[in-house]
Amino acid sequence: DVVLTQTPVSLLISLGGQASISCRSSQSLVHSNGNTYLHWYLQKPGQSPQLLIYQVSNRFSGIPDRFSGSGSGTDFTLKISRVEPEDLGVYYCLQRTHNPPTFGSGTKLEIK
Amino acid sequence: EVQLVESGGGLVQPGRSLKLSCAASGFTFSDYNMAWVRQAPKKGLEWVATISYDGSSTYYRDSVKGRFTISRDNAKSTLYLQMDSLRSEDTATYYCAVNWERWGQGVMVTVSS
């Protein structure tokens, strides 16, 4: 199975600051069709996960442009700029290029 | 508005069965692949099973193969997860998800004697 290593485990960011989360894969996430199926989710406390970014860098419907994704191959990054109180929670990356789909272990974002 | 509402969870003894349902609305259910994902208490997310839009293809994680069955009724816009021979390690909140985009609120399954 593909292993996704997320770092850091936790982040303490001031309101208005910037957060960066890394997701590294044990193998390339480029599908044979040329697409890269690496997604980012936020799970707010007591809620189900919500999709933020799909296929590396595409913001899902209704997601503000403070969230951005980048990367290729095996290294991916989620950046959150101008952090707001509602951004707190656990961020997960997911790959579904290879079966079975696998998640990173999560990064907890806390607000100072 | 897309809505996914899971039901059928609860407390069950090891070795027994449980069937989860996920009622979908707000989109054309028969157009989309569906998945079940679980989260053990205080743990991360774990994919469980996927079914194609027409039900012709199903996929399972190794630890549930032969014990869990994913199915769907497109006429009722409902996804199911039949869970047999339940183990303590199956204790988790189970989420249904459409196309990996929208998720339900989850349903808790506790396997304990």
Side-chain angles (χ1 to χ4, degrees), chain B residues 36-67:
Chain B
W36 287 99
V37 177
R38 67 185 180 185
Q39 186 171 36
K42 305 293 186 188
K43 298 293 186 184
L45 300 166
E46 181 177 85
W47 167 77
V48 175
T50 297
I51 188 166
S52 60
Y53 66 98
D54 60 356
S56 63
S57 299
T58 56
Y59 310 89
Y60 300 91
R61 70 178 301 103
D62 285 348
S63 60
V64 308
K65 269 182 198 169
R67 299 189 300 121

Short mmCIF file of all heavy atoms in Angstrom, two decimals, chain B residues 36-67:
data_model
loop_
_atom_site.label_atom_id
_atom_site.label_comp_id
_atom_site.label_asym_id
_atom_site.label_seq_id
_atom_site.Cartn_x
_atom_site.Cartn_y
_atom_site.Cartn_z
N TRP B 36 -17.18 3.88 1.54
CA TRP B 36 -17.27 3.91 3.00
C TRP B 36 -15.86 4.13 3.54
O TRP B 36 -14.90 3.47 3.09
CB TRP B 36 -17.83 2.61 3.55
CG TRP B 36 -19.30 2.41 3.32
CD1 TRP B 36 -19.89 1.66 2.35
CD2 TRP B 36 -20.38 2.96 4.10
NE1 TRP B 36 -21.26 1.72 2.46
CE2 TRP B 36 -21.58 2.51 3.53
CE3 TRP B 36 -20.44 3.80 5.22
CZ2 TRP B 36 -22.84 2.86 4.04
CZ3 TRP B 36 -21.68 4.15 5.72
CH2 TRP B 36 -22.86 3.70 5.13
N VAL B 37 -15.75 5.03 4.49
CA VAL B 37 -14.50 5.32 5.16
C VAL B 37 -14.79 5.29 6.66
O VAL B 37 -15.85 5.71 7.09
CB VAL B 37 -13.96 6.72 4.76
CG1 VAL B 37 -12.69 7.06 5.53
CG2 VAL B 37 -13.72 6.78 3.26
N ARG B 38 -13.85 4.78 7.44
CA ARG B 38 -14.08 4.72 8.89
C ARG B 38 -12.98 5.42 9.65
O ARG B 38 -11.89 5.66 9.12
CB ARG B 38 -14.22 3.27 9.34
CG ARG B 38 -12.98 2.44 9.24
CD ARG B 38 -13.29 0.98 9.61
NE ARG B 38 -12.11 0.13 9.53
CZ ARG B 38 -12.13 -1.19 9.69
NH1 ARG B 38 -13.29 -1.81 9.97
NH2 ARG B 38 -11.01 -1.89 9.61
N GLN B 39 -13.32 5.73 10.89
CA GLN B 39 -12.37 6.42 11.78
C GLN B 39 -12.54 5.86 13.18
O GLN B 39 -13.56 6.11 13.83
CB GLN B 39 -12.64 7.92 11.75
CG GLN B 39 -11.64 8.75 12.51
CD GLN B 39 -11.83 10.25 12.27
OE1 GLN B 39 -12.95 10.74 12.12
NE2 GLN B 39 -10.74 10.97 12.20
N ALA B 40 -11.57 5.09 13.63
CA ALA B 40 -11.58 4.58 14.99
C ALA B 40 -11.46 5.75 15.96
O ALA B 40 -10.93 6.81 15.59
CB ALA B 40 -10.45 3.59 15.19
N PRO B 41 -11.95 5.59 17.19
CA PRO B 41 -11.91 6.69 18.16
C PRO B 41 -10.51 7.28 18.31
O PRO B 41 -9.54 6.55 18.51
CB PRO B 41 -12.37 6.02 19.46
CG PRO B 41 -13.23 4.90 19.00
CD PRO B 41 -12.61 4.39 17.74
N LYS B 42 -10.42 8.58 18.14
CA LYS B 42 -9.18 9.34 18.28
C LYS B 42 -8.10 8.95 17.26
O LYS B 42 -6.92 9.21 17.47
CB LYS B 42 -8.59 9.17 19.70
CG LYS B 42 -9.54 9.52 20.81
CD LYS B 42 -9.86 10.98 20.83
CE LYS B 42 -10.70 11.35 22.04
NZ LYS B 42 -11.20 12.74 21.98
N LYS B 43 -8.52 8.32 16.18
CA LYS B 43 -7.56 7.88 15.17
C LYS B 43 -7.82 8.57 13.83
O LYS B 43 -8.71 9.41 13.71
CB LYS B 43 -7.66 6.35 14.97
CG LYS B 43 -7.33 5.55 16.21
CD LYS B 43 -5.88 5.66 16.60
CE LYS B 43 -5.56 4.73 17.76
NZ LYS B 43 -4.15 4.89 18.21
N GLY B 44 -7.02 8.20 12.83
CA GLY B 44 -7.15 8.79 11.51
C GLY B 44 -8.19 8.09 10.64
O GLY B 44 -8.93 7.21 11.10
N LEU B 45 -8.20 8.49 9.38
CA LEU B 45 -9.19 7.99 8.44
C LEU B 45 -8.68 6.74 7.73
O LEU B 45 -7.49 6.64 7.40
CB LEU B 45 -9.51 9.08 7.41
CG LEU B 45 -10.07 10.37 8.00
CD1 LEU B 45 -10.03 11.49 6.96
CD2 LEU B 45 -11.48 10.17 8.50
N GLU B 46 -9.61 5.83 7.44
CA GLU B 46 -9.24 4.55 6.82
C GLU B 46 -10.31 4.17 5.82
O GLU B 46 -11.49 4.01 6.20
CB GLU B 46 -9.10 3.49 7.92
CG GLU B 46 -8.70 2.12 7.42
CD GLU B 46 -8.52 1.15 8.60
OE1 GLU B 46 -9.53 0.58 9.03
OE2 GLU B 46 -7.38 0.96 9.04
N TRP B 47 -9.91 4.00 4.57
CA TRP B 47 -10.85 3.57 3.55
C TRP B 47 -11.30 2.15 3.82
O TRP B 47 -10.50 1.30 4.23
CB TRP B 47 -10.18 3.66 2.18
CG TRP B 47 -10.92 2.97 1.08
CD1 TRP B 47 -12.04 3.42 0.44
CD2 TRP B 47 -10.61 1.70 0.51
NE1 TRP B 47 -12.44 2.50 -0.51
CE2 TRP B 47 -11.58 1.45 -0.48
CE3 TRP B 47 -9.62 0.75 0.73
CZ2 TRP B 47 -11.58 0.28 -1.25
CZ3 TRP B 47 -9.61 -0.41 -0.03
CH2 TRP B 47 -10.59 -0.63 -1.01
N VAL B 48 -12.58 1.87 3.59
CA VAL B 48 -13.13 0.55 3.84
C VAL B 48 -13.52 -0.15 2.54
O VAL B 48 -13.11 -1.29 2.28
CB VAL B 48 -14.37 0.64 4.76
CG1 VAL B 48 -15.02 -0.73 4.92
CG2 VAL B 48 -13.99 1.21 6.12
N ALA B 49 -14.34 0.53 1.72
CA ALA B 49 -14.85 -0.12 0.51
C ALA B 49 -15.34 0.93 -0.46
O ALA B 49 -15.71 2.04 -0.07
CB ALA B 49 -15.98 -1.09 0.85
N THR B 50 -15.35 0.55 -1.73
CA THR B 50 -15.84 1.42 -2.81
C THR B 50 -16.74 0.60 -3.72
O THR B 50 -16.49 -0.60 -3.92
CB THR B 50 -14.67 2.00 -3.62
OG1 THR B 50 -13.88 2.82 -2.79
CG2 THR B 50 -15.17 2.83 -4.81
N ILE B 51 -17.76 1.24 -4.27
CA ILE B 51 -18.62 0.61 -5.25
C ILE B 51 -18.78 1.54 -6.44
O ILE B 51 -18.90 2.76 -6.27
CB ILE B 51 -20.00 0.23 -4.64
CG1 ILE B 51 -20.83 -0.61 -5.62
CG2 ILE B 51 -20.75 1.46 -4.16
CD1 ILE B 51 -22.03 -1.28 -4.97
N SER B 52 -18.77 0.97 -7.62
CA SER B 52 -18.92 1.79 -8.83
C SER B 52 -20.35 2.32 -8.94
O SER B 52 -21.27 1.84 -8.25
CB SER B 52 -18.56 0.98 -10.07
OG SER B 52 -19.40 -0.15 -10.17
N TYR B 53 -20.55 3.28 -9.83
CA TYR B 53 -21.82 3.97 -9.96
C TYR B 53 -22.99 3.01 -10.24
O TYR B 53 -24.10 3.23 -9.78
CB TYR B 53 -21.74 5.01 -11.07
CG TYR B 53 -21.56 4.42 -12.45
CD1 TYR B 53 -22.65 4.25 -13.29
CD2 TYR B 53 -20.31 4.01 -12.89
CE1 TYR B 53 -22.50 3.68 -14.54
CE2 TYR B 53 -20.14 3.45 -14.15
CZ TYR B 53 -21.24 3.28 -14.97
OH TYR B 53 -21.09 2.71 -16.21
N ASP B 54 -22.69 1.91 -10.96
CA ASP B 54 -23.75 0.98 -11.34
C ASP B 54 -23.74 -0.30 -10.49
O ASP B 54 -24.54 -1.22 -10.75
CB ASP B 54 -23.66 0.61 -12.82
CG ASP B 54 -22.35 -0.04 -13.18
OD1 ASP B 54 -21.47 -0.16 -12.29
OD2 ASP B 54 -22.17 -0.43 -14.35
N GLY B 55 -22.84 -0.36 -9.54
CA GLY B 55 -22.77 -1.52 -8.66
C GLY B 55 -22.03 -2.71 -9.24
O GLY B 55 -21.94 -3.74 -8.58
N SER B 56 -21.48 -2.56 -10.42
CA SER B 56 -20.86 -3.70 -11.09
C SER B 56 -19.47 -4.03 -10.52
O SER B 56 -18.99 -5.15 -10.70
CB SER B 56 -20.74 -3.44 -12.59
OG SER B 56 -19.91 -2.32 -12.84
N SER B 57 -18.85 -3.05 -9.88
CA SER B 57 -17.51 -3.27 -9.34
C SER B 57 -17.47 -2.85 -7.88
O SER B 57 -18.01 -1.81 -7.51
CB SER B 57 -16.48 -2.45 -10.11
OG SER B 57 -16.44 -2.83 -11.47
N THR B 58 -16.82 -3.69 -7.08
CA THR B 58 -16.66 -3.39 -5.66
C THR B 58 -15.22 -3.66 -5.25
O THR B 58 -14.54 -4.51 -5.83
CB THR B 58 -17.59 -4.25 -4.79
OG1 THR B 58 -17.35 -5.63 -5.06
CG2 THR B 58 -19.05 -3.93 -5.06
N TYR B 59 -14.74 -2.91 -4.26
CA TYR B 59 -13.37 -3.01 -3.79
C TYR B 59 -13.39 -2.91 -2.27
O TYR B 59 -14.16 -2.13 -1.72
CB TYR B 59 -12.50 -1.89 -4.38
CG TYR B 59 -12.62 -1.75 -5.88
CD1 TYR B 59 -13.59 -0.93 -6.43
CD2 TYR B 59 -11.78 -2.45 -6.73
CE1 TYR B 59 -13.73 -0.82 -7.80
CE2 TYR B 59 -11.91 -2.33 -8.11
CZ TYR B 59 -12.88 -1.52 -8.64
OH TYR B 59 -13.02 -1.41 -10.00
N TYR B 60 -12.49 -3.67 -1.63
CA TYR B 60 -12.47 -3.70 -0.17
C TYR B 60 -11.03 -3.65 0.35
O TYR B 60 -10.11 -4.15 -0.30
CB TYR B 60 -13.08 -5.00 0.35
CG TYR B 60 -14.53 -5.22 -0.06
CD1 TYR B 60 -14.83 -5.91 -1.24
CD2 TYR B 60 -15.56 -4.73 0.72
CE1 TYR B 60 -16.16 -6.10 -1.62
CE2 TYR B 60 -16.88 -4.91 0.34
CZ TYR B 60 -17.17 -5.60 -0.83
OH TYR B 60 -18.47 -5.79 -1.21
N ARG B 61 -10.88 -3.08 1.53
CA ARG B 61 -9.57 -3.21 2.17
C ARG B 61 -9.41 -4.64 2.63
O ARG B 61 -10.40 -5.34 2.90
CB ARG B 61 -9.43 -2.22 3.33
CG ARG B 61 -10.25 -2.48 4.54
CD ARG B 61 -9.96 -1.44 5.64
NE ARG B 61 -8.56 -1.43 6.03
CZ ARG B 61 -7.68 -0.51 5.64
NH1 ARG B 61 -8.05 0.47 4.86
NH2 ARG B 61 -6.43 -0.57 6.05
N ASP B 62 -8.17 -5.08 2.73
CA ASP B 62 -7.90 -6.50 3.01
C ASP B 62 -8.55 -6.96 4.32
O ASP B 62 -9.06 -8.08 4.40
CB ASP B 62 -6.38 -6.75 3.07
CG ASP B 62 -5.75 -6.76 1.70
OD1 ASP B 62 -6.49 -6.80 0.69
OD2 ASP B 62 -4.50 -6.71 1.63
N SER B 63 -8.53 -6.10 5.33
CA SER B 63 -8.98 -6.53 6.66
C SER B 63 -10.50 -6.77 6.73
O SER B 63 -10.98 -7.34 7.71
CB SER B 63 -8.57 -5.51 7.72
OG SER B 63 -9.14 -4.24 7.45
N VAL B 64 -11.24 -6.33 5.73
CA VAL B 64 -12.70 -6.54 5.76
C VAL B 64 -13.17 -7.47 4.64
O VAL B 64 -14.35 -7.83 4.60
CB VAL B 64 -13.48 -5.22 5.71
CG1 VAL B 64 -12.97 -4.24 6.78
CG2 VAL B 64 -13.45 -4.58 4.33
N LYS B 65 -12.26 -7.85 3.76
CA LYS B 65 -12.65 -8.74 2.64
C LYS B 65 -13.22 -10.04 3.19
O LYS B 65 -12.65 -10.65 4.10
CB LYS B 65 -11.43 -9.05 1.77
CG LYS B 65 -11.21 -8.10 0.63
CD LYS B 65 -10.00 -8.53 -0.20
CE LYS B 65 -9.51 -7.39 -1.04
NZ LYS B 65 -8.21 -7.65 -1.66
N GLY B 66 -14.34 -10.45 2.61
CA GLY B 66 -14.98 -11.68 3.06
C GLY B 66 -15.90 -11.48 4.25
O GLY B 66 -16.66 -12.39 4.60
N ARG B 67 -15.84 -10.32 4.90
CA ARG B 67 -16.71 -10.05 6.05
C ARG B 67 -17.70 -8.92 5.76
O ARG B 67 -18.83 -8.94 6.26
CB ARG B 67 -15.87 -9.66 7.27
CG ARG B 67 -14.90 -10.71 7.73
CD ARG B 67 -14.26 -10.33 9.08
NE ARG B 67 -13.52 -9.09 9.04
CZ ARG B 67 -13.78 -8.02 9.79
NH1 ARG B 67 -14.78 -8.05 10.66
NH2 ARG B 67 -13.04 -6.93 9.71
#
